[in-house]
Amino acid sequence: MKFGPASPAEAIGGVTVHTLRKGSLVLKKGTLIGPAEVEALVGQGVNEIVVVRLEAGDVSEDEAAADVAKVVAGEGIHVDRAFTGRANLFAAQPGVLMIDRAAVERINGVDEAITFATLPAFKPVVEGEMVGTVKLIPFGVEGRLRDAAVAAAGKGALSIAPYVVKRVGVVSTMLPGLAPKVIDKTLRVTAERLAPAGAGIIAERRVPHEQAALAAAINELLALGAELVIVFGASAIADRRDVIPAAITGIGGAIEHFGMPVDPGNLLLIGSAGGVPVLGAPGCARSPAENGFDWVLMRLLAGIKVTRAELTAMGVGGLLMEIVTRPQPRAKPEAAVDERKVAAVVLAAGRSTRMGGPNKLLAELDGRKLVRIVTEQALASRACEVIVVTGHQAELVENALSDLDVRFIRNPDFAGGLASSVKAGIAAVPEGVDGAVVCLGDMPLVSSDLLDRLIAAFAPDRGNLIVVPVSEGRRGNPVLWSRRFFAELMTLDGDVGARHLIAKHTEAVAEVPVDGDSAFLDIDTPQALEAARRV
Protein backbone atom coordinates (compact mmCIF):
# COMPACT_ATOMS: atom_id res chain seq x y z
CA MET A 1 0.00 0.00 0.00
CA LYS A 2 1.43 3.36 -1.05
CA PHE A 3 1.00 6.32 1.26
CA GLY A 4 2.00 9.92 0.68
CA PRO A 5 1.32 13.33 -0.91
CA ALA A 6 0.30 13.72 -4.55
CA SER A 7 -0.98 16.42 -6.86
CA PRO A 8 -4.72 16.28 -7.61
CA ALA A 9 -4.07 14.73 -11.02
CA GLU A 10 -1.70 12.13 -9.59
CA ALA A 11 -4.17 11.31 -6.79
CA ILE A 12 -6.78 9.73 -9.10
CA GLY A 13 -7.58 6.24 -7.84
CA GLY A 14 -6.25 7.03 -4.38
CA VAL A 15 -8.18 7.45 -1.12
CA THR A 16 -7.93 10.59 1.01
CA VAL A 17 -6.16 10.11 4.33
CA HIS A 18 -7.48 13.27 6.01
CA THR A 19 -10.64 15.36 5.75
CA LEU A 20 -9.89 18.47 3.71
CA ARG A 21 -11.82 21.74 3.92
CA LYS A 22 -11.04 24.60 1.56
CA GLY A 23 -13.59 27.30 0.77
CA SER A 24 -16.81 25.54 -0.22
CA LEU A 25 -15.01 22.21 -0.70
CA VAL A 26 -15.31 19.48 1.92
CA LEU A 27 -13.50 16.28 1.00
CA LYS A 28 -13.96 13.68 3.72
CA LYS A 29 -11.42 11.15 4.86
CA GLY A 30 -11.71 7.93 2.86
CA THR A 31 -13.01 9.57 -0.32
CA LEU A 32 -11.97 7.86 -3.57
CA ILE A 33 -10.40 10.50 -5.86
CA GLY A 34 -11.91 10.69 -9.32
CA PRO A 35 -12.07 13.36 -12.06
CA ALA A 36 -14.81 15.33 -10.24
CA GLU A 37 -12.73 15.49 -7.07
CA VAL A 38 -9.67 16.58 -9.05
CA GLU A 39 -11.66 19.41 -10.65
CA ALA A 40 -12.95 20.56 -7.24
CA LEU A 41 -9.46 20.50 -5.74
CA VAL A 42 -7.96 22.48 -8.58
CA GLY A 43 -10.85 24.94 -8.44
CA GLN A 44 -10.05 25.66 -4.78
CA GLY A 45 -6.33 26.02 -5.47
CA VAL A 46 -5.32 22.80 -3.70
CA ASN A 47 -1.98 21.67 -5.10
CA GLU A 48 -1.30 18.63 -2.94
CA ILE A 49 -3.29 16.02 -1.04
CA VAL A 50 -2.26 12.96 0.98
CA VAL A 51 -3.69 9.71 -0.37
CA VAL A 52 -3.20 5.97 -0.10
CA ARG A 53 -3.28 3.50 -3.00
CA LEU A 54 -3.67 -0.23 -2.79
CA GLU A 55 -0.99 -2.25 -4.53
CA ALA A 56 -1.14 -5.66 -6.12
CA GLY A 57 -2.04 -8.23 -3.49
CA ASP A 58 -3.64 -5.70 -1.15
CA VAL A 59 -7.28 -5.78 -0.03
CA SER A 60 -9.35 -2.79 1.05
CA GLU A 61 -10.17 -2.11 4.69
CA ASP A 62 -13.85 -2.94 4.19
CA GLU A 63 -13.12 -6.20 2.40
CA ALA A 64 -10.65 -7.34 5.03
CA ALA A 65 -12.93 -6.42 7.96
CA ALA A 66 -15.90 -8.16 6.36
CA ASP A 67 -13.92 -11.34 5.69
CA VAL A 68 -12.71 -11.63 9.28
CA ALA A 69 -16.12 -10.78 10.75
CA LYS A 70 -17.82 -13.37 8.55
CA VAL A 71 -15.64 -16.19 9.84
CA VAL A 72 -15.87 -15.25 13.55
CA ALA A 73 -19.68 -15.00 13.47
CA GLY A 74 -21.22 -18.16 14.88
CA GLU A 75 -24.76 -19.17 15.83
CA GLY A 76 -27.01 -16.24 16.70
CA ILE A 77 -24.65 -13.57 15.32
CA HIS A 78 -25.47 -11.11 12.54
CA VAL A 79 -22.73 -9.21 10.69
CA ASP A 80 -23.49 -5.71 9.44
CA ARG A 81 -22.08 -4.39 6.16
CA ALA A 82 -18.51 -3.20 6.57
CA PHE A 83 -18.00 0.56 6.37
CA THR A 84 -14.89 2.70 6.87
CA GLY A 85 -12.88 -0.38 7.73
CA ARG A 86 -15.28 -1.59 10.43
CA ALA A 87 -17.55 -4.64 10.45
CA ASN A 88 -19.88 -4.77 13.46
CA LEU A 89 -21.37 -7.96 14.85
CA PHE A 90 -24.80 -8.03 16.53
CA ALA A 91 -26.83 -10.51 18.55
CA ALA A 92 -29.54 -11.96 16.32
CA GLN A 93 -31.38 -13.33 19.38
CA PRO A 94 -31.37 -12.84 23.15
CA GLY A 95 -29.03 -15.04 25.13
CA VAL A 96 -25.57 -15.26 26.64
CA LEU A 97 -22.53 -14.23 24.61
CA MET A 98 -20.07 -17.08 24.12
CA ILE A 99 -16.51 -16.19 23.13
CA ASP A 100 -13.51 -18.25 22.08
CA ARG A 101 -10.97 -16.10 23.90
CA ALA A 102 -8.02 -17.86 22.29
CA ALA A 103 -9.38 -17.12 18.80
CA VAL A 104 -9.81 -13.43 19.66
CA GLU A 105 -6.24 -13.25 20.88
CA ARG A 106 -4.95 -15.06 17.78
CA ILE A 107 -6.69 -12.58 15.48
CA ASN A 108 -5.30 -9.59 17.36
CA GLY A 109 -1.87 -11.18 17.28
CA VAL A 110 -1.65 -11.41 13.48
CA ASP A 111 -0.74 -7.77 12.84
CA GLU A 112 -1.36 -4.36 14.35
CA ALA A 113 -3.45 -3.49 11.29
CA ILE A 114 -6.24 -5.93 12.24
CA THR A 115 -8.18 -5.58 15.51
CA PHE A 116 -11.10 -7.49 16.98
CA ALA A 117 -12.98 -6.30 20.11
CA THR A 118 -15.92 -7.92 21.91
CA LEU A 119 -18.19 -7.48 24.89
CA PRO A 120 -17.21 -9.52 27.98
CA ALA A 121 -17.65 -13.27 27.70
CA PHE A 122 -20.91 -14.65 29.10
CA LYS A 123 -22.58 -11.23 29.03
CA PRO A 124 -26.38 -11.45 28.75
CA VAL A 125 -27.41 -9.67 25.54
CA VAL A 126 -30.64 -8.71 23.85
CA GLU A 127 -31.50 -9.06 20.20
CA GLY A 128 -29.86 -6.31 18.16
CA GLU A 129 -27.17 -5.55 20.75
CA MET A 130 -23.69 -4.96 19.33
CA VAL A 131 -21.41 -7.72 20.63
CA GLY A 132 -18.18 -7.25 18.67
CA THR A 133 -16.39 -5.24 16.01
CA VAL A 134 -13.60 -5.96 13.54
CA LYS A 135 -11.70 -2.78 12.74
CA LEU A 136 -8.92 -2.31 10.19
CA ILE A 137 -6.50 0.41 11.26
CA PRO A 138 -5.09 1.38 7.81
CA PHE A 139 -7.10 1.81 4.61
CA GLY A 140 -6.02 -1.58 3.37
CA VAL A 141 -3.78 -4.54 4.20
CA GLU A 142 -1.79 -7.12 2.37
CA GLY A 143 -3.96 -10.03 1.38
CA ARG A 144 -1.72 -12.45 3.23
CA LEU A 145 -2.47 -10.68 6.52
CA ARG A 146 -6.21 -10.88 5.90
CA ASP A 147 -5.81 -14.58 5.12
CA ALA A 148 -3.76 -15.14 8.28
CA ALA A 149 -6.44 -13.45 10.42
CA VAL A 150 -9.18 -15.54 8.83
CA ALA A 151 -7.19 -18.71 9.46
CA ALA A 152 -6.44 -17.69 13.04
CA ALA A 153 -10.11 -17.10 13.76
CA GLY A 154 -11.14 -20.66 13.17
CA LYS A 155 -14.94 -20.71 12.88
CA GLY A 156 -17.55 -19.13 15.11
CA ALA A 157 -15.42 -17.40 17.72
CA LEU A 158 -18.57 -15.49 18.75
CA SER A 159 -21.97 -17.08 19.28
CA ILE A 160 -25.12 -16.60 21.30
CA ALA A 161 -26.32 -19.32 23.64
CA PRO A 162 -30.11 -18.86 23.59
CA TYR A 163 -32.13 -19.00 26.80
CA VAL A 164 -33.65 -22.45 27.23
CA VAL A 165 -34.83 -22.53 30.86
CA LYS A 166 -38.29 -20.98 31.14
CA ARG A 167 -39.88 -22.48 34.27
CA VAL A 168 -38.44 -21.29 37.58
CA GLY A 169 -39.53 -22.21 41.09
CA VAL A 170 -38.73 -20.01 44.11
CA VAL A 171 -38.58 -20.98 47.78
CA SER A 172 -38.25 -18.38 50.53
CA THR A 173 -37.40 -19.53 54.05
CA MET A 174 -38.84 -17.64 56.99
CA LEU A 175 -37.57 -16.59 60.40
CA PRO A 176 -39.17 -14.25 62.97
CA GLY A 177 -38.54 -10.65 61.99
CA LEU A 178 -38.49 -11.23 58.23
CA ALA A 179 -41.34 -9.08 56.92
CA PRO A 180 -43.57 -10.52 54.17
CA LYS A 181 -43.00 -7.31 52.17
CA VAL A 182 -39.32 -8.26 51.88
CA ILE A 183 -40.26 -11.53 50.22
CA ASP A 184 -42.83 -9.79 48.00
CA LYS A 185 -40.16 -7.37 46.82
CA THR A 186 -37.71 -10.25 46.25
CA LEU A 187 -40.22 -11.99 44.01
CA ARG A 188 -40.78 -8.81 41.98
CA VAL A 189 -37.04 -8.29 41.55
CA THR A 190 -36.58 -11.94 40.57
CA ALA A 191 -39.38 -11.78 38.01
CA GLU A 192 -37.74 -8.72 36.48
CA ARG A 193 -34.41 -10.58 36.30
CA LEU A 194 -36.01 -13.53 34.55
CA ALA A 195 -38.07 -11.52 32.07
CA PRO A 196 -35.28 -10.77 29.51
CA ALA A 197 -34.71 -14.52 29.23
CA GLY A 198 -38.39 -15.19 28.61
CA ALA A 199 -38.52 -17.13 31.88
CA GLY A 200 -41.02 -16.79 34.69
CA ILE A 201 -41.82 -17.99 38.20
CA ILE A 202 -44.22 -20.95 37.95
CA ALA A 203 -44.69 -21.24 41.72
CA GLU A 204 -43.29 -19.89 44.97
CA ARG A 205 -43.30 -21.36 48.43
CA ARG A 206 -42.64 -19.82 51.86
CA VAL A 207 -41.49 -22.27 54.50
CA PRO A 208 -39.76 -22.18 57.90
CA HIS A 209 -35.97 -21.94 57.81
CA GLU A 210 -35.66 -25.66 58.53
CA GLN A 211 -34.10 -28.47 56.51
CA ALA A 212 -37.15 -30.73 56.32
CA ALA A 213 -39.59 -28.00 55.31
CA LEU A 214 -37.21 -26.63 52.69
CA ALA A 215 -36.46 -30.08 51.24
CA ALA A 216 -40.18 -30.74 50.85
CA ALA A 217 -40.70 -27.40 49.09
CA ILE A 218 -37.85 -28.03 46.64
CA ASN A 219 -39.25 -31.48 45.84
CA GLU A 220 -42.70 -29.97 45.29
CA LEU A 221 -41.37 -27.39 42.83
CA LEU A 222 -39.44 -30.05 40.94
CA ALA A 223 -42.62 -32.12 40.68
CA LEU A 224 -44.39 -29.07 39.22
CA GLY A 225 -41.84 -28.99 36.40
CA ALA A 226 -39.41 -26.32 37.55
CA GLU A 227 -36.32 -26.27 35.35
CA LEU A 228 -34.45 -24.16 37.91
CA VAL A 229 -35.09 -23.66 41.64
CA ILE A 230 -33.92 -20.56 43.50
CA VAL A 231 -33.83 -20.57 47.30
CA PHE A 232 -33.81 -17.25 49.18
CA GLY A 233 -32.78 -17.94 52.75
CA ALA A 234 -34.00 -15.90 55.70
CA SER A 235 -30.44 -16.28 56.96
CA ALA A 236 -27.29 -16.29 54.83
CA ILE A 237 -25.66 -19.64 54.10
CA ALA A 238 -22.72 -19.98 56.47
CA ASP A 239 -21.43 -23.48 55.70
CA ARG A 240 -21.94 -26.47 53.39
CA ARG A 241 -23.77 -28.09 56.31
CA ASP A 242 -26.20 -25.19 56.78
CA VAL A 243 -29.95 -25.47 56.20
CA ILE A 244 -30.06 -24.82 52.44
CA PRO A 245 -27.22 -27.14 51.35
CA ALA A 246 -28.41 -29.78 53.82
CA ALA A 247 -31.90 -29.68 52.30
CA ILE A 248 -30.48 -30.14 48.79
CA THR A 249 -28.31 -33.12 49.72
CA GLY A 250 -31.11 -34.51 51.87
CA ILE A 251 -33.24 -35.11 48.77
CA GLY A 252 -30.39 -36.78 46.92
CA GLY A 253 -29.01 -33.62 45.34
CA ALA A 254 -25.45 -32.38 45.23
CA ILE A 255 -23.60 -29.20 46.17
CA GLU A 256 -21.40 -28.25 43.23
CA HIS A 257 -19.91 -25.03 44.59
CA PHE A 258 -20.33 -22.74 47.57
CA GLY A 259 -18.99 -19.19 47.50
CA MET A 260 -17.73 -17.06 44.65
CA PRO A 261 -15.09 -14.31 44.29
CA VAL A 262 -17.64 -11.67 43.32
CA ASP A 263 -18.75 -8.93 45.71
CA PRO A 264 -21.66 -8.50 46.15
CA GLY A 265 -22.53 -12.15 45.69
CA ASN A 266 -19.94 -14.01 47.77
CA LEU A 267 -22.38 -16.37 49.51
CA LEU A 268 -23.85 -17.98 46.39
CA LEU A 269 -24.45 -21.72 46.38
CA ILE A 270 -24.78 -23.82 43.23
CA GLY A 271 -26.34 -27.23 43.60
CA SER A 272 -28.56 -29.63 41.71
CA ALA A 273 -31.36 -32.07 42.45
CA GLY A 274 -32.84 -34.53 39.99
CA GLY A 275 -30.73 -33.02 37.22
CA VAL A 276 -32.18 -29.57 37.83
CA PRO A 277 -29.99 -26.66 38.99
CA VAL A 278 -30.74 -25.33 42.50
CA LEU A 279 -29.36 -21.93 43.46
CA GLY A 280 -28.92 -20.79 47.04
CA ALA A 281 -29.18 -17.03 46.49
CA PRO A 282 -26.94 -14.57 48.35
CA GLY A 283 -28.66 -11.73 50.19
CA CYS A 284 -27.74 -9.24 47.47
CA ALA A 285 -29.98 -11.13 45.03
CA ARG A 286 -32.93 -9.39 46.71
CA SER A 287 -31.67 -6.13 45.17
CA PRO A 288 -32.07 -5.25 41.47
CA ALA A 289 -28.47 -3.97 41.35
CA GLU A 290 -26.07 -6.18 39.41
CA ASN A 291 -24.27 -8.75 41.55
CA GLY A 292 -22.63 -12.14 41.26
CA PHE A 293 -26.00 -13.88 41.33
CA ASP A 294 -26.79 -12.34 37.92
CA TRP A 295 -23.58 -13.73 36.42
CA VAL A 296 -24.53 -17.29 37.34
CA LEU A 297 -28.30 -17.06 36.89
CA MET A 298 -28.19 -15.94 33.26
CA ARG A 299 -25.74 -18.69 32.31
CA LEU A 300 -27.99 -21.32 33.87
CA LEU A 301 -31.01 -19.90 32.04
CA ALA A 302 -29.05 -20.42 28.80
CA GLY A 303 -28.31 -24.01 29.76
CA ILE A 304 -24.61 -23.31 30.34
CA LYS A 305 -23.01 -25.35 33.10
CA VAL A 306 -20.96 -23.14 35.42
CA THR A 307 -17.70 -24.85 36.30
CA ARG A 308 -15.51 -24.26 39.29
CA ALA A 309 -12.75 -22.92 37.03
CA GLU A 310 -15.16 -20.36 35.55
CA LEU A 311 -16.32 -19.29 39.01
CA THR A 312 -12.81 -18.83 40.34
CA ALA A 313 -11.90 -16.81 37.23
CA MET A 314 -14.59 -14.26 38.13
CA GLY A 315 -12.38 -12.75 40.80
CA VAL A 316 -10.70 -10.37 38.34
CA GLY A 317 -13.37 -7.72 37.86
CA GLY A 318 -15.49 -9.30 40.58
CA LEU A 319 -15.46 -6.29 42.89
CA LEU A 320 -18.62 -4.75 41.47
CA MET A 321 -19.27 -1.99 44.00
CA GLU A 322 -18.54 -0.77 47.48
CA ILE A 323 -21.02 -2.32 49.89
CA VAL A 324 -22.12 0.44 52.25
CA THR A 325 -23.18 -2.08 54.87
CA ARG A 326 -19.63 -3.44 55.14
CA PRO A 327 -17.29 -1.93 57.73
CA GLN A 328 -14.73 0.57 56.51
CA PRO A 329 -11.09 0.25 57.43
CA ARG A 330 -10.50 1.85 60.81
CA ALA A 331 -7.46 2.83 62.79
CA LYS A 332 -9.10 1.29 65.86
CA PRO A 333 -11.55 -1.59 66.39
CA GLU A 334 -15.27 -1.10 65.86
CA ALA A 335 -16.74 0.72 68.84
CA ALA A 336 -19.00 -1.17 71.17
CA VAL A 337 -22.66 -0.17 71.21
CA ASP A 338 -22.35 1.96 74.34
CA GLU A 339 -19.25 3.68 72.97
CA ARG A 340 -20.69 4.77 69.66
CA LYS A 341 -21.06 8.51 69.48
CA VAL A 342 -24.07 10.08 67.79
CA ALA A 343 -24.55 13.84 67.62
CA ALA A 344 -27.96 15.49 67.37
CA VAL A 345 -28.29 18.19 64.70
CA VAL A 346 -31.31 20.45 65.19
CA LEU A 347 -32.31 22.38 62.07
CA ALA A 348 -33.63 25.79 63.17
CA ALA A 349 -32.77 28.11 60.29
CA GLY A 350 -35.98 28.17 58.22
CA ARG A 351 -38.00 31.24 57.30
CA SER A 352 -41.44 29.85 58.28
CA THR A 353 -42.96 31.00 54.99
CA ARG A 354 -45.95 28.67 55.28
CA MET A 355 -46.74 29.90 58.77
CA GLY A 356 -47.79 33.23 57.36
CA GLY A 357 -46.51 35.24 60.28
CA PRO A 358 -43.76 35.24 62.92
CA ASN A 359 -41.02 32.65 63.18
CA LYS A 360 -42.81 29.37 63.92
CA LEU A 361 -39.84 28.05 65.92
CA LEU A 362 -40.53 30.77 68.48
CA ALA A 363 -44.23 29.91 68.75
CA GLU A 364 -45.18 28.39 72.09
CA LEU A 365 -46.61 25.02 73.00
CA ASP A 366 -47.54 24.52 76.66
CA GLY A 367 -45.62 27.66 77.51
CA ARG A 368 -42.36 26.65 75.80
CA LYS A 369 -41.03 27.66 72.40
CA LEU A 370 -41.07 24.89 69.76
CA VAL A 371 -37.35 25.05 69.10
CA ARG A 372 -36.63 24.81 72.83
CA ILE A 373 -38.82 21.73 73.20
CA VAL A 374 -36.98 19.97 70.35
CA THR A 375 -33.57 20.99 71.67
CA GLU A 376 -34.29 19.95 75.24
CA GLN A 377 -35.43 16.52 74.07
CA ALA A 378 -32.19 16.17 72.11
CA LEU A 379 -30.21 17.15 75.20
CA ALA A 380 -32.11 14.59 77.29
CA SER A 381 -31.25 11.81 74.84
CA ARG A 382 -28.09 9.70 74.51
CA ALA A 383 -26.72 12.10 71.88
CA CYS A 384 -23.14 13.01 72.71
CA GLU A 385 -23.59 16.61 71.54
CA VAL A 386 -26.36 18.87 70.30
CA ILE A 387 -25.68 21.19 67.37
CA VAL A 388 -28.30 23.82 66.50
CA VAL A 389 -28.23 25.29 62.99
CA THR A 390 -29.64 28.82 62.86
CA GLY A 391 -30.24 31.26 60.03
CA HIS A 392 -33.49 33.23 59.80
CA GLN A 393 -33.74 35.48 62.90
CA ALA A 394 -30.67 33.69 64.24
CA GLU A 395 -30.29 35.98 67.27
CA LEU A 396 -33.85 35.39 68.44
CA VAL A 397 -33.54 31.62 68.09
CA GLU A 398 -30.18 31.56 69.85
CA ASN A 399 -31.51 33.75 72.67
CA ALA A 400 -34.34 31.28 73.22
CA LEU A 401 -31.72 28.56 73.80
CA SER A 402 -28.97 30.65 75.38
CA ASP A 403 -28.96 28.79 78.70
CA LEU A 404 -28.75 25.34 77.12
CA ASP A 405 -25.56 23.34 76.56
CA VAL A 406 -25.64 23.42 72.77
CA ARG A 407 -23.33 24.58 69.98
CA PHE A 408 -24.72 27.07 67.46
CA ILE A 409 -23.83 26.99 63.77
CA ARG A 410 -24.98 29.88 61.58
CA ASN A 411 -26.13 28.98 58.07
CA PRO A 412 -25.69 32.07 55.86
CA ASP A 413 -27.42 30.27 52.97
CA PHE A 414 -30.60 29.40 54.88
CA ALA A 415 -32.78 31.08 52.24
CA GLY A 416 -31.63 28.45 49.74
CA GLY A 417 -33.62 25.75 51.45
CA LEU A 418 -33.40 22.83 53.84
CA ALA A 419 -30.38 21.22 52.17
CA SER A 420 -28.09 24.11 53.08
CA SER A 421 -28.92 23.68 56.78
CA VAL A 422 -28.37 19.92 56.63
CA LYS A 423 -24.95 20.52 55.11
CA ALA A 424 -24.07 23.18 57.69
CA GLY A 425 -25.01 20.86 60.53
CA ILE A 426 -23.28 17.78 59.14
CA ALA A 427 -20.12 19.77 58.45
CA ALA A 428 -20.05 20.76 62.12
CA VAL A 429 -20.16 17.19 63.48
CA PRO A 430 -16.77 16.59 65.12
CA GLU A 431 -14.33 13.94 63.94
CA GLY A 432 -14.63 10.82 66.00
CA VAL A 433 -18.43 10.98 66.08
CA ASP A 434 -19.93 7.92 64.37
CA GLY A 435 -23.21 9.39 63.19
CA ALA A 436 -25.74 12.21 63.42
CA VAL A 437 -29.47 12.23 64.01
CA VAL A 438 -30.98 15.14 62.07
CA CYS A 439 -33.90 16.71 63.96
CA LEU A 440 -36.31 19.28 62.58
CA GLY A 441 -36.79 22.26 64.86
CA ASP A 442 -40.54 22.32 64.16
CA MET A 443 -41.29 18.75 65.36
CA PRO A 444 -41.92 19.20 69.11
CA LEU A 445 -43.53 15.77 69.64
CA VAL A 446 -40.27 13.90 68.99
CA SER A 447 -39.22 12.67 72.42
CA SER A 448 -35.85 11.81 73.87
CA ASP A 449 -37.10 8.23 74.12
CA LEU A 450 -37.58 8.08 70.32
CA LEU A 451 -34.13 9.55 69.79
CA ASP A 452 -32.65 6.93 72.13
CA ARG A 453 -34.43 4.15 70.24
CA LEU A 454 -32.95 5.40 66.97
CA ILE A 455 -29.49 5.55 68.51
CA ALA A 456 -29.89 2.05 69.97
CA ALA A 457 -30.83 0.67 66.53
CA PHE A 458 -27.74 2.23 64.96
CA ALA A 459 -25.43 -0.77 64.46
CA PRO A 460 -22.78 -0.37 61.73
CA ASP A 461 -21.40 -3.85 62.41
CA ARG A 462 -24.82 -5.28 61.46
CA GLY A 463 -25.33 -2.99 58.48
CA ASN A 464 -27.76 -0.63 60.25
CA LEU A 465 -26.30 2.62 58.97
CA ILE A 466 -29.45 4.70 58.41
CA VAL A 467 -32.15 4.55 61.09
CA VAL A 468 -35.67 5.86 60.46
CA PRO A 469 -38.91 5.86 62.48
CA VAL A 470 -41.76 4.02 60.74
CA SER A 471 -45.48 3.68 61.32
CA GLU A 472 -47.68 1.51 59.06
CA GLY A 473 -45.08 1.58 56.31
CA ARG A 474 -44.68 5.35 56.44
CA ARG A 475 -41.26 6.80 57.21
CA GLY A 476 -40.90 9.90 59.34
CA ASN A 477 -38.32 12.05 61.12
CA PRO A 478 -35.79 12.38 62.62
CA VAL A 479 -33.35 10.22 60.65
CA LEU A 480 -30.02 8.98 61.98
CA TRP A 481 -27.14 8.87 59.47
CA SER A 482 -23.86 7.03 59.77
CA ARG A 483 -20.73 9.03 59.00
CA ARG A 484 -20.47 6.79 55.93
CA PHE A 485 -23.10 9.01 54.30
CA PHE A 486 -21.86 12.44 55.37
CA ALA A 487 -20.18 13.01 52.01
CA GLU A 488 -23.44 12.29 50.18
CA LEU A 489 -25.43 14.52 52.53
CA MET A 490 -23.03 17.32 51.64
CA THR A 491 -24.18 17.07 48.00
CA LEU A 492 -27.82 17.93 48.79
CA ASP A 493 -29.25 21.02 47.16
CA GLY A 494 -32.34 23.21 47.36
CA ASP A 495 -35.33 22.59 49.59
CA VAL A 496 -35.25 18.81 49.19
CA GLY A 497 -34.25 16.49 52.00
CA ALA A 498 -32.37 13.22 51.81
CA ARG A 499 -35.22 10.83 51.07
CA HIS A 500 -33.63 9.79 47.78
CA LEU A 501 -30.50 8.71 49.65
CA ILE A 502 -32.61 6.47 51.87
CA ALA A 503 -34.16 4.92 48.76
CA LYS A 504 -30.73 4.53 47.17
CA HIS A 505 -29.30 2.69 50.17
CA THR A 506 -32.23 0.50 51.21
CA GLU A 507 -29.91 -2.30 52.31
CA ALA A 508 -28.44 0.02 54.96
CA VAL A 509 -31.78 1.15 56.42
CA ALA A 510 -33.05 0.02 59.83
CA GLU A 511 -36.64 0.86 60.73
CA VAL A 512 -37.82 1.67 64.25
CA PRO A 513 -41.59 1.23 64.76
CA VAL A 514 -43.38 4.20 66.34
CA ASP A 515 -46.93 4.87 67.49
CA GLY A 516 -48.83 8.09 67.07
CA ASP A 517 -47.88 11.21 65.11
CA SER A 518 -44.67 12.21 66.84
CA ALA A 519 -42.45 11.31 63.88
CA PHE A 520 -44.77 12.94 61.34
CA LEU A 521 -46.20 16.14 62.81
CA ASP A 522 -44.21 19.21 61.84
CA ILE A 523 -45.54 22.68 62.63
CA ASP A 524 -45.75 24.35 59.22
CA THR A 525 -49.08 26.13 59.56
CA PRO A 526 -51.21 27.74 62.29
CA GLN A 527 -53.57 24.78 61.92
CA ALA A 528 -50.73 22.32 62.63
CA LEU A 529 -49.80 24.29 65.72
CA GLU A 530 -53.38 24.09 66.98
CA ALA A 531 -53.40 20.34 66.27
CA ALA A 532 -50.22 19.93 68.34
CA ARG A 533 -51.78 21.85 71.20
CA ARG A 534 -54.67 19.38 71.22
CA VAL A 535 -52.40 16.32 71.42
Side-chain angles (χ1 to χ4, degrees):
M1 185 175 65
K2 293 182 178 179
F3 179 102
S7 68
E10 294 171 337
I12 290 181
V15 175
T16 56
V17 174
H18 310 293
T19 297
L20 185 147
R21 292 180 172 83
K22 183 71 179 293
S24 61
L25 172 65
V26 178
L27 206 60
K28 292 187 176 180
K29 172 184 175 180
T31 300
L32 179 65
I33 301 296
E37 285 72 26
V38 170
E39 181 179 353
L41 288 166
V42 172
Q44 291 296 328
V46 177
N47 299 319
E48 187 177 84
I49 185 171
V50 181
V51 295
V52 295
R53 293 188 181 85
L54 298 183
E55 299 181 278
D58 290 345
V59 294
S60 71
E61 56 177 348
D62 287 348
E63 181 181 351
D67 289 345
V68 176
K70 180 179 178 181
V71 73
V72 300
E75 292 293 323
I77 300 291
H78 164 72
V79 181
D80 212 2
R81 181 179 68 87
F83 180 68
T84 63
R86 184 185 299 279
N88 295 327
L89 299 98
F90 298 87
Q93 60 188 10
V96 174
L97 178 62
M98 307 295 290
I99 301 175
D100 182 344
R101 178 182 289 273
V104 176
E105 293 175 352
R106 288 195 302 268
I107 293 169
N108 286 319
V110 168
D111 190 86
E112 65 183 21
I114 303 172
T115 68
F116 180 31
T118 74
L119 293 179
F122 300 110
K123 182 183 185 302
V125 296
V126 298
E127 182 178 351
E129 184 173 354
M130 184 173 168
V131 296
T133 183
V134 178
K135 170 62 179 172
L136 269 288
I137 303 303
F139 290 92
V141 295
E142 296 177 51
R144 66 177 182 84
L145 294 177
R146 182 272 315 272
D147 295 342
V150 168
K155 182 65 179 174
L158 257 64
S159 62
I160 303 297
Y163 296 117
V164 294
V165 171
K166 305 297 181 183
R167 298 168 59 82
V168 178
V170 176
V171 186
S172 301
T173 69
M174 307 287 290
L175 283 172
L178 179 63
K181 67 178 182 180
V182 173
I183 296 178
D184 294 339
K185 177 187 174 183
T186 299
L187 291 171
R188 290 195 301 270
V189 168
T190 303
E192 292 169 0
R193 272 197 167 92
L194 298 173
I201 300 172
I202 61 166
E204 63 102 359
R205 298 291 183 266
R206 306 181 187 192
V207 299
H209 191 70
E210 301 168 358
Q211 178 182 339
L214 176 56
I218 294 173
N219 265 333
E220 182 183 359
L221 293 175
L222 293 175
L224 291 173
E227 300 167 296
L228 168 67
V229 175
I230 304 173
V231 180
F232 291 95
S235 179
I237 304 171
D239 188 271
R240 278 177 169 261
R241 295 159 293 187
D242 208 343
V243 170
I244 294 175
I248 295 172
T249 56
I251 58 175
I255 305 305
E256 298 169 7
H257 197 84
F258 173 48
M260 67 185 304
V262 180
D263 199 354
N266 290 140
L267 299 183
L268 175 83
L269 180 140
I270 303 177
S272 62
V276 173
V278 180
L279 279 180
C284 59
R286 298 185 187 277
S287 165
E290 182 186 12
N291 57 74
F293 177 72
D294 294 284
W295 292 13
V296 172
L297 174 66
M298 303 314 287
R299 295 191 199 190
L300 294 179
L301 292 175
I304 303 169
K305 183 174 178 60
V306 182
T307 67
R308 173 175 169 76
E310 288 167 343
L311 275 173
T312 57
M314 294 178 182
V316 176
L319 182 58
L320 299 182
M321 60 181 288
E322 180 191 4
I323 313 301
V324 297
T325 54
R326 307 282 168 81
Q328 286 186 339
R330 289 178 179 265
K332 58 183 180 180
E334 180 73 42
V337 174
D338 291 339
E339 297 174 351
R340 292 192 190 115
K341 294 182 178 180
V342 175
V345 175
V346 177
L347 305 184
R351 294 181 295 172
S352 307
T353 53
R354 293 176 59 191
M355 200 69 176
N359 191 332
K360 63 180 178 181
L361 299 179
L362 302 176
E364 292 190 353
L365 183 64
D366 295 331
R368 292 187 299 159
K369 292 179 171 53
L370 297 185
V371 69
R372 188 175 180 94
I373 296 173
V374 173
T375 305
E376 287 179 343
Q377 291 299 315
L379 286 168
S381 75
R382 289 174 47 197
C384 65
E385 179 180 6
V386 177
I387 299 166
V388 180
V389 181
T390 62
H392 175 61
Q393 296 183 342
E395 294 84 358
L396 295 178
V397 174
E398 291 170 9
N399 286 338
L401 307 174
S402 61
D403 59 328
L404 299 181
D405 183 18
V406 300
R407 182 156 58 97
F408 295 109
I409 298 296
R410 293 271 182 107
N411 172 22
D413 301 320
F414 67 89
L418 177 69
S420 64
S421 292
V422 172
K423 292 190 286 188
I426 290 299
V429 175
E431 291 293 331
V433 173
D434 301 291
V437 57
V438 180
C439 308
L440 303 183
D442 62 354
M443 296 187 67
L445 301 188
V446 172
S447 66
S448 60
D449 176 67
L450 173 54
L451 294 174
D452 285 346
R453 291 176 62 203
L454 296 177
I455 294 171
F458 176 52
D461 55 326
R462 299 202 307 271
N464 297 348
L465 301 175
I466 304 171
V467 188
V468 298
V470 175
S471 176
E472 298 181 350
R474 180 185 174 200
R475 288 173 172 170
N477 282 296
V479 176
L480 191 158
W481 297 87
S482 164
R483 179 172 286 277
R484 290 287 298 272
F485 299 104
F486 282 12
E488 288 187 76
L489 290 170
M490 294 300 293
T491 67
L492 298 177
D493 190 35
D495 203 28
V496 179
R499 292 293 176 186
H500 67 288
L501 294 182
I502 297 176
K504 176 182 176 182
H505 299 293
T506 54
E507 75 280 8
V509 175
E511 297 182 342
V512 172
V514 296
D515 295 323
D517 296 326
S518 62
F520 306 98
L521 181 63
D522 54 342
I523 310 300
D524 277 340
T525 64
Q527 293 77 16
L529 179 59
E530 288 304 316
R533 287 170 174 162
R534 293 193 296 268
V535 172

